[in-house]
Amino acid sequence: MTTRSLTLQSILLAGAFAVPLVVPSAYAQQAGEPPAAKPEASKPIPPMQPAPTSVPGRGDIPNAEVAKRLANVAPHPFGLPADQLPVPHLKLPKGFKIEVYASGIPNARSLRIGDKGTVFASNRLLDKVYAIVDRNGKREVKVIASGMDRPNGLAFHKGTLYIAEGTRISKLENIEDNLDNPGKPVVIYSDFLNSQSHGWKFMGLGPDNMLYVNVGAPCNICEPPAGTGQLRRISLDGKIGEPVVRGVRNSVGFDWHPVSKELWFTDNGRDWLSEDLPEDELNRVTRNGLHFGFPYCHQGNFTDREMGWGKSCDEFEKPAALIGPHAGALGMRFYTGKMFPAKYHNAIFIARHGSWNRTKKIGGDVIVAYLNKDGSVKSQEVFLTGFLVNNAYIGRPVDVHVMKDGSMLVSDDHAGAVYRVTYASDKVAKK
């Protein structure tokens, strides 16, 4: 599949730490994720943000007319059938192809792959975890857990699938051998504040064989209660839990550099400050114990109007890059496969869910961040576009995951699907 030409445009409006981003002119967008509601599976999923209130003298709070354009986008409650998915609208660089990997997965979110090739998909708004089984090219979607509380986070280690819910972490052992009869998840950890705002979790397995989990701040902007606004690591038996970094508003994606083993994570900036500020961040953890600024400093260079009094951004760790105001930067992975061209090796693919807290939407795409030899961010460019058409979403990417053959999966919680991106050079494609 070939892509139309991209126009060079900087969306990084205020940051000294920003790197230029190539954005398709017809697909500009971005935003942080709003609080979750827990709807019934049989009913349409309602908007998840209350209408803002107009306050005299507060230019950051929109009037009622503007507020109508800031309503969140409700996903399709049951997922779209394969023939209605937005694949024909999606654009990639030359040589790349995208196809439906699995459909009919309502609110498909985090992706993990088992040792035997099973693809696991979570969701945030409903109560289920899914397994996608590929049998000779024919894929079947199975429910392996239900009745769960926002089971957004997944990790896999030595046959066991770990599931991070709103208030706890559970596990399913030997899951790939028991997909038809997985049993009841066993709780291993339950020391999380029960918050509806940013209460869903993202989870990954670190190089130290510990589970890393985001614990979001339970607010748009506030002094985070103890144990929140951080990334935490937890032993596989759940007996040890400790913070890794603080000052994190709501990270819904992280990964480890394949060479340095440093932890990198995305973080969603606060809402109701401005359409253009603050930008979402891509952060690099060079050592444990760092503080990344929330709620006092945003995007590394300006203090919050409510919480920043008496603080300086110089007190906190700077972001590695800025990735757009309210862009909804979520899942991210280092590309470690061999299918894509060499320039993508060890680059970071980031799913931008797309903005709700902007009248002119941005995001709804997958971007790539390229690194210098010293690990700093060299540049960014758009990789996959087409989810945003005429300022409206026809899909919203959430997570990316590299498969063993080097292809890449992309989840879409709006359409309820998982896509697969492959690459073939012109020489191979013509054979």
Side-chain angles (χ1 to χ4, degrees):
M1 177 181 295
T2 60
T3 183
R4 60 182 178 77
S5 61
L6 302 181
T7 59
L8 184 63
Q9 176 187 22
S10 174
I11 64 167
L12 305 176
L13 301 170
F17 312 101
V19 279
L21 176 63
V22 180
V23 178
S25 58
Y27 294 93
Q29 48 175 259
Q30 307 180 345
E33 287 202 275
K38 191 176 180 181
E40 297 178 30
S42 60
K43 296 182 179 180
I45 297 174
M48 293 170 287
Q49 276 290 332
T53 304
S54 181
V55 178
R58 286 291 299 272
D60 56 313
I61 298 182
N63 60 37
E65 186 62 34
V66 171
K68 293 177 182 177
R69 292 181 279 163
L70 298 178
N72 192 46
V73 182
H76 296 280
F78 305 109
L80 291 175
D83 61 355
Q84 294 181 29
L85 292 171
V87 171
H89 299 273
L90 304 182
K91 306 292 191 298
L92 286 159
K94 185 177 180 180
F96 287 91
K97 176 184 177 181
I98 188 166
E99 60 187 350
V100 177
Y101 187 80
S103 61
I105 307 174
N107 198 231
R109 295 278 294 187
S110 299
L111 299 173
R112 295 292 172 188
I113 300 178
D115 294 333
K116 299 180 180 180
T118 307
V119 176
F120 298 98
S122 72
N123 72 52
R124 168 192 162 206
L125 295 178
L126 303 178
D127 65 344
K128 295 175 175 55
V129 177
Y130 301 88
I132 307 169
V133 182
D134 189 332
R135 292 190 173 94
N136 299 318
K138 186 176 181 180
R139 298 181 191 101
E140 179 183 358
V141 178
K142 297 174 176 288
V143 174
I144 58 169
S146 59
M148 308 193 85
D149 173 25
R150 295 161 290 169
N152 186 84
L154 300 177
F156 190 91
H157 180 61
K158 292 185 177 180
T160 297
L161 181 69
Y162 296 86
I163 305 168
E165 302 179 68
T167 60
R168 62 190 184 181
I169 298 174
S170 305
K171 67 177 181 179
L172 288 168
E173 296 181 329
N174 300 316
I175 183 61
E176 288 185 285
D177 294 330
N178 296 283
L179 293 174
D180 293 324
N181 186 23
K184 184 178 179 180
V186 176
V187 176
I188 64 165
Y189 189 84
S190 57
D191 189 20
F192 295 125
L193 178 71
N194 187 7
S195 169
Q196 291 301 307
S197 179
H198 303 152
W200 56 97
K201 306 290 186 286
F202 183 84
M203 183 165 61
L205 182 75
D208 54 4
N209 283 334
M210 295 188 75
L211 299 171
Y212 284 64
V213 185
N214 73 297
V215 189
C219 57
N220 172 40
I221 185 74
C222 66
E223 186 72 46
T228 69
Q230 64 182 228
L231 298 184
R232 190 182 302 180
R233 66 177 181 177
I234 299 163
S235 60
L236 294 174
D237 60 7
K239 294 181 179 180
I240 300 173
E242 59 188 14
V244 178
V245 293
R246 294 183 171 87
V248 181
R249 181 176 177 269
N250 189 38
S251 174
V252 196
F254 47 77
D255 197 12
W256 289 262
H257 191 285
V259 178
S260 71
K261 306 304 179 185
E262 288 177 336
L263 174 63
W264 290 66
F265 67 94
T266 58
D267 195 12
N268 291 169
R270 67 158 292 184
D271 296 312
W272 307 124
L273 187 64
S274 151
E275 284 215 9
D276 300 323
L277 295 171
E279 299 208 27
D280 288 354
E281 300 174 1
L282 176 63
N283 291 302
R284 176 187 181 187
V285 181
T286 55
R287 57 182 174 83
N288 290 354
L290 295 174
H291 193 295
F292 284 85
F294 181 84
Y296 318 110
C297 173
H298 306 296
Q299 68 177 45
N301 61 6
F302 80 92
T303 52
D304 188 79
R305 61 175 293 164
E306 299 171 52
M307 306 297 297
W309 292 91
K311 300 290 185 179
S312 168
C313 285
D314 292 337
E315 300 175 41
F316 309 108
E317 188 72 8
K318 308 295 184 185
L322 303 181
I323 42 184
H326 311 297
L330 303 186
M332 57 151 285
R333 296 290 194 286
F334 284 91
Y335 184 75
T336 55
K338 296 181 179 179
M339 178 184 288
F340 292 6
K343 76 170 188 174
Y344 295 105
H345 186 65
N346 290 348
I348 306 172
F349 283 83
I350 303 167
R352 299 195 308 173
H353 196 224
S355 55
W356 66 271
N357 197 224
R358 281 177 58 97
T359 54
K360 185 178 181 181
K361 309 303 182 189
I362 58 173
D365 53 23
V366 175
I367 65 173
V368 187
Y370 300 100
L371 305 186
N372 294 307
K373 290 183 179 180
D374 64 0
S376 60
V377 176
K378 178 181 180 181
S379 64
Q380 301 175 49
E381 67 181 11
V382 168
F383 177 73
L384 170 61
T385 66
F387 293 101
L388 179 65
V389 178
N390 297 325
N391 210 38
Y393 296 106
I394 58 175
R396 302 187 77 184
V398 176
D399 200 9
V400 294
H401 203 302
V402 181
M403 301 191 78
K404 294 178 182 179
D405 65 359
S407 62
M408 187 172 70
L409 299 180
V410 181
S411 61
D412 175 353
D413 68 348
H414 181 71
V418 177
Y419 312 104
R420 180 173 177 248
V421 177
T422 55
Y423 177 80
S425 66
D426 287 343
K427 185 180 294 186
V428 173
K430 291 176 181 178
K431 288 184 178 180

